[in-house]
Each structure stands twice: as C-alpha cells, then as structure tokens.
C-alpha cells in the first residue's frame, strides 16, 4: 500500500484537477485505488465522478457540560482550559462554555474537584464513503459550516480508509498549517501542484520548507505552464527539486474542468502522462509503513 | 470600514482583486489575513516598521531524565499525540494540540510546554497607504488568533493615519481563519469562479457569511470560462437574496501584472477588467 498526497500551498492551483485525474487514470488501468478528499472545508472531488453514496459517519468532539448545582465556581476548569472556552465570574455564580472554542481536550473534566463536569458529543462534520461500480472509491471529509478546525474530520477520514487498497490518493487542504500537515504526515510521497506565478512560487517555497522539515519525499507539478513567468522552473532547477510534470495552460482545459469533467477523458494524453508519473512514483516509494 | 475579500475555493482571484481595490484612488489600509499563505507583500513590498512575534500555541516536550515512565500522560491525551510502549513515552509534535493536560497531570513534572514562536506579524507602509500582514510558520495552528491580531493592528494603524478603509484579504476555506476574518467586518466580498467547485464552495461561504450576519456581495471572476455556469451562479445568488455585483472576464493581464509586481489597476487602468473593478468598488462603497 502506498499513500500519495496531492497538495499545494496556494489554493486553486489545480490540486483537485491533478488528484481526480490521477485517480481516474488509476481506475482506468484497473488499479485498486482509493481517493480521500481531505479538503474538509471545501470538498469537491466527488462532483467529478459518477458515485453512489455508501456509509456516512458523524465526527464529534466531546465538550463539557457544567452542572451549576454542583459547581462551586472555584475556577480551576477555567485555569486548565488553554483555549479560553470557559468563561466564569465567580461572585455572580456565572459559568459558560463556548463550545466553538473548545478543542475537546478534557482538561476541564480533570480539573473539576466537584464532579460538576460531564461531556457531550458535538458534531464537527462527517465522513462519507462513496462507491464507484459497487466498490469503495472515494472517502470525503466535510466539516459543518461554522466549525473552526477541519483537523478531527480529516483524521477520521484518513483512519476510515480501508487499508486493503493498494494506492490511496489524498487530496490535501491548501496552505501549510495544521490541516495540511495532518494530511501529508500520513503520506509516503507528496505531489505539490503549483502555478508559474509569483504567488505560486512564494507558496511553493513555503510548502517545500515544510515538507523538508518533516522529511517527506516530494515532487512538483507545474499547472498552467506558459502563463506567468519561469521563476518556478528556475527555483526547481536551482534547488534540485524534481519537476514531475508540466500541464500547459489551456483555455480548453479550464473550460472543460469548469463543467465538472475529467480532463483526461477529453485529453487522454494528460491521463497517460499522469499514469506514467504515478507508476514511477509508486515504484520508487512503494510499500508504505504509514 | 472593514471590507473582507474572501472565497471558499482558493485561486479564484481574491488577492488580485484585493490588490486592485487597495491601489484605487485614496490611501487605504490593506491587511493580508491569509496568514497561512500571505502573498500581497510580493506585490506591495511594504516597509517593516514593526515586527511582532506571534505565539501560535504550545507543544509538549518530555524531559526524559524525570520521566519514570508511567504512561499516564498517554492515557489522558485525546489527540493521539502520545504513544507509550511500556518503556518510553513519545510525543508527536504534529499531533500535539498544546492543551497542557499532559503537563498538568504528569506526577513527575516531566513534561514542559514550549511556545511556538516562529510566526510573525508585520506592519508598515506601501505605495498607497499602510499594510499589515501575518506570516504563520509552517505547521502552526491558531491562525484565527493571528488574523485577529492583524485586524486589530490594521484598525490601530487606520486610526493613527486617518485612513477610513481597511481591506482584508482573506484566506480560502470556511474554517477558523475565515471566521476570524469576517466576524465584525462591515462588508464581505466573495470572489468565485464559474466552475462546479466554485459554485459548491460559494454556497458554503454564503452559509458562513449568513451565520455571522455580514452584508455580502459576490464577484464572479473569469466568468467567460463558462458563461452558462456564471449565469447559473447569478441565478442561484439572486434566488438566495445575495447580490452579484460584477462578472469579470478572464484576462491574462492580471497574471502579467502580478509578474511585474503590480495590481491590474496599476498595470493597465484602461483595461476592461480595471474599468469593471472600479465600478464594482463604487457599488461596494455606496451600498449600505
């Protein structure tokens, strides 16, 4: 089994385009592949395939419920909470939990000396399994609107992935903060997708630094090549970073993609090149221990 | 007045449009709230008049000279960050949420919480006013708090310099840093694109804007890539009671401007896109 994450610092560089097309070519070539959409704030991969919905799991976080009859307003739970999720004014016997700030760490329950804190599950989002031709093919993570952190839902989606698949493709959330790290840290190899613009380069550098710091092997795809300038190409050359593929800028691709189409279906050459690329990555980085 | 420019989907042109707004007539404050992937400084090359260290939470570290190891910490950790194999406790920095619980319950006081102090906030001047931006160090969290700090600073700078308008260039998504960007802002401009992902993400973004009760406007960028989808988005918005205040065509000039370190307004004020952006800006400013 191998897990390959498709990521990018900058949003909208073509991460989902690459992830869905890699996945499509793998299925076409009869590989046993699973796609996990880890972009829980804005999941879109499912829209590109003909799927039927399978199991759905609610992802919850335990938040405190304070029994004000038992509470002595000692304030220890407030002191233990590092997320400022408990508000207390002891003289007025007021205590409140801000559920949206709570990370569910359980420190307040440990702190309470008066047995006044119980916990209840609060929904953060859901993880849904989708089938293609009766087989589990896509797992989607999706946070509820208003939930602060996508991390618990992303972790649940990755955990749910059936380890029996040969190849798992992770469509990663954008950026280089927590949600990105949580996704790529589980991968054996990371494909960074960028675009040849100053913004693309700046965000690429940040992603590369992050991946170096956690020692992940990676390579780069330049999407919309021909647009912008050649500073990304130069950066890759100067730093000895593998350029996996260049996808030329084309209005045709952009227009077809906008309709929710799989570009490799229309332009088979792209699918062939992605398949060659992924086969090479697997042969060099296969047999996961993650 | 704080005007937040956001988009559920990344890469729809949020920052290019923010940059265009920021370089229109009248000095302004521009605050880059996409602290995870700040980009506007590349165009505006601001001076660094102030640099502030931002503490992005904490990470637990074991002092192995004091650790017995009993493994109690591993039982209490809810983030699966501590593993205990019977002989040694190991903390995964990636999974540690910085809640302090392990350090509080350790009977040997063997766990210390170290600050994440690599993130920064900068404040300075750019060619059309003042600029504030944050840079979250890779892998760090609490980006919402850094966004709050950037906004506070932007308000302070606006007050000190008598600048009325603050433009907040927001992060993609709908999570914590986005909520921090729009909470209490006067207006939100949502930039979308006519793709299936653009429409899905717009719908989630509008939900979040509604939840926080903020006056929202929609711009459909690169509208000619799929005019049928653009029309569909426009219809969906009008049925939902959200105003589409402009459709911008795809123009490689926007990318060429970026390569030259300019906004489209500075690059070619007479282009169709520039003209439309000026119209859009006037609508945003003049609609209550």
């Amino acid at each position: 089994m191998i897990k390959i994450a498709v990521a990018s610092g900058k949003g909208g560089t073509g991460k989902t385009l690459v992830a869905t097309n890699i996945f499509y070519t793998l299925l076409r070539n009869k590989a046993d592949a699973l796609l996990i959409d880890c972009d829980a704030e804005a999941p879109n991969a499912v829209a590109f395939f003909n799927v039927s919905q399978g199991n759905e799991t609610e992802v919850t976080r335990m938040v405190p419920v304070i029994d004000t009859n038992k509470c002595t307003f000692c304030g220890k739970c407030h002191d233990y909470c590092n997320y400022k999720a408990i508000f207390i004014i002891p003289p007025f016997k007021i205590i409140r939990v801000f559920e949206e700030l709570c990370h569910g760490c359980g420190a307040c329950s440990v702190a309470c000396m008066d047995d006044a804190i119980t916990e209840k599950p609060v929904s953060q989002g859901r993880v849904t399994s989708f089938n293609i031709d009766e087989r589990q093919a896509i797992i989607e993570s999706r946070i509820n609107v208003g939930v602060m952190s996508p991390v618990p839902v992303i972790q649940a989606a990755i955990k749910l992935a059936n380890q029996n698949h040969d190849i798992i493709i992770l469509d990663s959330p954008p950026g280089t903060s927590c949600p990105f790290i949580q996704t790529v840290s589980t991968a054996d190899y990371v494909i960074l997708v960028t675009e040849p613009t100053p913004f693309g380069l700046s965000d690429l550098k940040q992603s590369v630094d992050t991946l170096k710091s956690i020692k992940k092997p990676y390579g780069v795809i330049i999407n919309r090549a021909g647009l912008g300038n050649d500073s990304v190409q130069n950066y890759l050359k100067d730093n000895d970073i593998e350029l996996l593929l260049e996808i030329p800028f084309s209005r045709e691709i952009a227009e077809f993609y906008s309709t929710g189409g799989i570009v490799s279906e229309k332009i088979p050459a792209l699918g062939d090149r992605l398949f060659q690329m992924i086969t090479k990555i697997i042969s060099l980085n296969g047999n996961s221990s993650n | 007045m704080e005007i937040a420019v956001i988009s559920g989907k990344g890469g729809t042109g949020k920052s290019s449009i923010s940059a265009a707004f920021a370089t229109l007539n009248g000095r302004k404050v521009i605050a880059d709230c996409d602290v995870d992937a700040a980009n506007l400084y590349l165009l505006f090359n601001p001076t660094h008049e102030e640099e502030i260290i931002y503490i992005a939470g904490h990470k637990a570290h074991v002092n192995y000279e004091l650790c017995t190891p009993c493994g109690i910490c591993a039982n209490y950790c809810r983030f699966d960050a501590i593993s205990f194999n019977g002989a040694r406790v190991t903390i995964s920095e990636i999974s540690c949420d910085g809640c302090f619980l392990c350090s509080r319950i350790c009977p040997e006081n063997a766990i210390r919480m170290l600050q994440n102090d690599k993130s920064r906030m900068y404040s300075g001047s750019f060619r059309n006013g003042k600029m504030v931006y944050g840079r979250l160090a890779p892998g760090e969290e609490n980006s919402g708090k850094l966004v709050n700090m950037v906004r506070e600073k932007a308000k302070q700078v606006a007050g000190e310099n008598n600048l009325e308008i603050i433009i907040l260039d927001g992060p993609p998504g709908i999570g914590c840093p986005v909520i921090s960007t729009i909470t209490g802002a006067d207006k939100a401009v949502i930039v979308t694109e006519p793709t299936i992902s653009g429409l899905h993400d717009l719908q989630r973004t509008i939900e979040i804007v509604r939840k926080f009760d903020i006056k929202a406007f929609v711009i459909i960028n690169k509208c000619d890539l799929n005019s049928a989808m653009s029309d569909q988005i426009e219809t969906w918005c009008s049925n939902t009671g959200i105003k589409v205040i402009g459709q911008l065509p795809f123009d490689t000039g926007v990318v060429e401007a970026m390569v030259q370190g300019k906004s489209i307004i500075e690059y070619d004020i007479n282009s169709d896109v520039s003209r439309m952006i000026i119209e859009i800006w006037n609508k945003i400013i003049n609609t209550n």
Side-chain angles (χ1 to χ4, degrees):
Chain A
M1 199 265 293
I2 181 166
K3 277 194 194 134
I4 299 168
V6 182
S8 75
K10 181 168 161 22
T13 55
K15 228 177 357 337
T16 301
L17 167 86
V18 168
T20 52
N21 277 277
I22 289 176
F23 182 61
Y24 170 83
T25 68
L26 286 170
L27 292 187
R28 265 196 74 112
N29 287 281
K30 310 268 180 256
D32 174 22
L34 176 75
L35 176 65
I36 309 182
D37 193 341
C38 298
D39 190 0
E41 290 179 52
N44 284 310
V46 166
F48 293 87
F49 297 94
N50 225 331
V51 296
S52 58
Q53 192 180 320
N55 293 335
E56 187 166 84
T57 325
E58 191 89 18
V59 180
T60 59
R61 172 176 265 177
M62 297 304 281
V63 305
V65 180
I66 298 171
D67 182 342
T68 45
N69 293 323
K70 287 186 184 166
C71 177
T72 57
F73 304 90
C74 70
K76 199 175 170 199
C77 57
H78 167 265
D79 297 341
Y80 262 49
C81 179
N82 197 37
Y83 307 104
K84 300 197 170 66
I86 296 178
F87 172 78
I88 183 168
I89 314 178
F92 295 103
K93 301 202 167 183
I94 290 173
I95 188 159
R96 300 252 188 293
V97 176
F98 296 122
E99 289 183 2
E100 61 282 10
L101 295 181
C102 174
H103 284 214
C105 70
C108 54
S109 299
V110 174
C112 184
M113 314 298 279
D114 304 302
D115 204 18
I117 298 183
T118 50
E119 293 182 37
K120 65 169 183 188
V122 170
S123 176
Q124 304 292 299
R126 54 186 195 268
V127 171
T128 314
S129 175
F130 293 90
N131 299 329
I132 295 176
D133 300 333
E134 319 271 306
R135 291 191 58 201
Q136 184 188 43
I138 304 178
I139 292 177
E140 179 192 85
S141 63
R142 178 179 288 264
I143 58 164
N144 299 336
V145 171
V147 164
M148 294 284 182
S149 170
V151 170
V153 182
I154 294 172
Q155 285 172 330
I158 295 174
K159 251 187 208 168
L160 190 80
N162 189 332
Q163 299 295 316
N164 296 328
H165 294 278
D166 292 339
I167 306 163
I168 295 180
I169 304 293
L170 306 161
D171 187 358
S172 163
T176 50
S177 68
C178 249
F180 163 81
I181 299 266
Q182 286 299 335
T183 305
V184 298
S185 66
T186 65
D188 301 286
Y189 187 88
V190 183
I191 297 171
L192 291 173
V193 184
T194 189
E195 59 177 33
T197 65
F199 289 0
L201 175 61
S202 165
D203 297 343
L204 173 67
K205 284 180 182 165
Q206 209 171 316
S207 312
V208 165
D209 289 346
T210 309
L211 292 178
K212 274 186 186 159
S213 74
I214 60 169
K215 299 187 178 68
K216 284 287 165 193
Y218 61 92
V220 173
I221 291 181
I222 299 178
N223 189 22
R224 305 189 191 112
L227 208 65
N229 57 11
D230 51 12
S231 55
V232 170
Q233 278 92 338
N234 293 338
Y235 165 76
L236 297 181
K237 251 181 247 155
D238 294 345
N239 291 277
D240 219 2
I241 296 168
E242 187 177 8
L243 174 59
L244 297 166
L245 188 69
E246 290 187 69
I247 302 174
F249 172 72
S250 121
R251 239 190 125 92
E252 192 194 2
I253 292 180
E255 284 171 12
F256 187 69
Y257 183 75
S258 75
T259 62
I262 289 288
V263 178
S264 304
E265 219 167 343
K266 195 172 171 80
I267 308 172
L270 175 68
D272 294 343
R273 288 170 70 201
L274 283 170
F275 187 69
Q276 279 167 17
M277 177 197 81
I278 205 81
T279 312
K280 192 174 153 203
I281 290 172
I282 292 169
S283 71
L284 295 174
N285 300 275
N287 291 323
S288 168
S289 52
N290 278 305
Chain B
M1 177 163 57
E2 284 183 303
I3 299 170
V5 183
I6 56 170
S7 75
K9 183 172 172 352
T12 57
K14 226 178 1 319
S15 298
S16 293
I17 288 174
S18 299
F21 288 162
T23 47
L24 283 171
N25 283 343
R27 286 162 55 81
K28 296 178 189 71
V29 179
I30 175 96
D32 194 339
C33 296
D34 189 2
V35 296
D36 202 5
N39 283 139
L40 280 179
Y41 75 96
L42 295 167
L43 296 189
F44 291 147
N45 203 14
T47 58
H48 284 178
E49 286 152 30
E50 204 177 338
E51 175 176 344
I52 297 164
I53 296 174
Y54 167 70
I55 304 299
H58 297 77
K59 294 283 177 207
H61 286 262
V62 180
N63 180 342
Y64 287 105
E65 296 193 349
L66 297 177
C67 181
T68 48
C70 64
I72 290 177
C73 54
N75 292 336
Y76 277 91
C77 179
R78 295 217 182 150
F79 303 99
D80 289 335
I82 308 181
S83 51
F84 178 55
N85 63 5
R88 191 179 167 91
V89 163
T90 313
I91 297 182
S92 153
E93 254 189 55
I94 288 171
S95 301
C96 175
D97 200 71
C99 75
F100 278 68
L101 183 56
C102 57
S103 72
R104 297 189 204 277
I105 52 92
C106 175
E108 310 299 331
N109 270 323
I111 299 179
R112 278 204 309 152
M113 301 301 295
L114 300 182
Q115 289 182 338
N116 300 326
D117 57 2
K118 302 281 184 304
S119 300
R120 293 289 181 274
M121 183 180 78
Y122 301 98
S123 166
S125 303
F126 81 111
R127 52 189 178 268
N128 199 37
K130 293 284 171 183
M131 177 161 181
V132 182
Y133 69 105
R135 296 204 76 177
L136 193 72
E140 295 196 345
E141 54 185 327
N142 290 332
S143 52
K145 279 194 212 156
L146 180 51
V147 170
N148 289 337
M149 220 166 112
V150 166
R151 282 182 64 191
E152 281 307 314
K153 187 77 199 170
K155 276 187 217 165
Q156 184 200 329
V157 166
E160 287 166 0
N161 294 276
N162 283 320
L163 299 174
E164 204 223 325
I165 290 170
I166 303 173
I167 295 165
L168 308 172
D169 183 23
I174 59 163
C176 174
V178 178
I179 294 172
S180 297
T181 303
I182 60 172
T183 308
D186 298 279
K187 291 170 184 177
V189 180
I190 307 170
V191 183
T192 187
E193 60 176 33
T195 62
I196 202 106
S197 319
L199 175 60
H200 283 174
D201 297 347
L202 172 66
Q203 291 169 340
R204 275 164 77 77
T205 308
I206 284 175
E207 259 188 82
I208 196 106
V209 165
R210 290 233 151 129
K211 207 175 162 110
F212 290 87
D213 200 21
I214 294 156
K215 174 99 190 151
F217 307 91
V218 170
I219 297 174
I220 305 174
N221 195 16
K222 309 172 203 166
C223 63
D224 52 335
L225 283 182
N226 186 338
S227 6
M229 181 73 78
S230 291
D231 293 343
Q232 194 189 328
I233 291 176
E234 181 133 18
T235 309
W236 183 85
C237 284
S238 85
N239 290 341
T240 324
I242 304 272
K243 206 170 167 151
V244 174
I245 48 164
Q247 294 204 15
L248 299 173
F250 180 75
D251 181 352
T252 52
V254 177
V255 181
E256 286 150 23
M258 193 205 291
V259 168
Q260 292 195 13
K262 292 176 178 166
S263 78
I264 183 69
I265 298 286
E266 295 169 309
Y267 179 76
D268 185 1
I269 184 94
N270 296 314
S271 64
D272 285 349
V273 171
S274 292
R275 200 174 38 74
M276 290 178 190
I277 287 177
I278 293 168
E279 261 175 49
I280 289 171
W281 176 251
N282 289 333
K283 281 188 206 163
I284 296 169
I285 292 299
N286 297 324
T287 310
N288 290 318

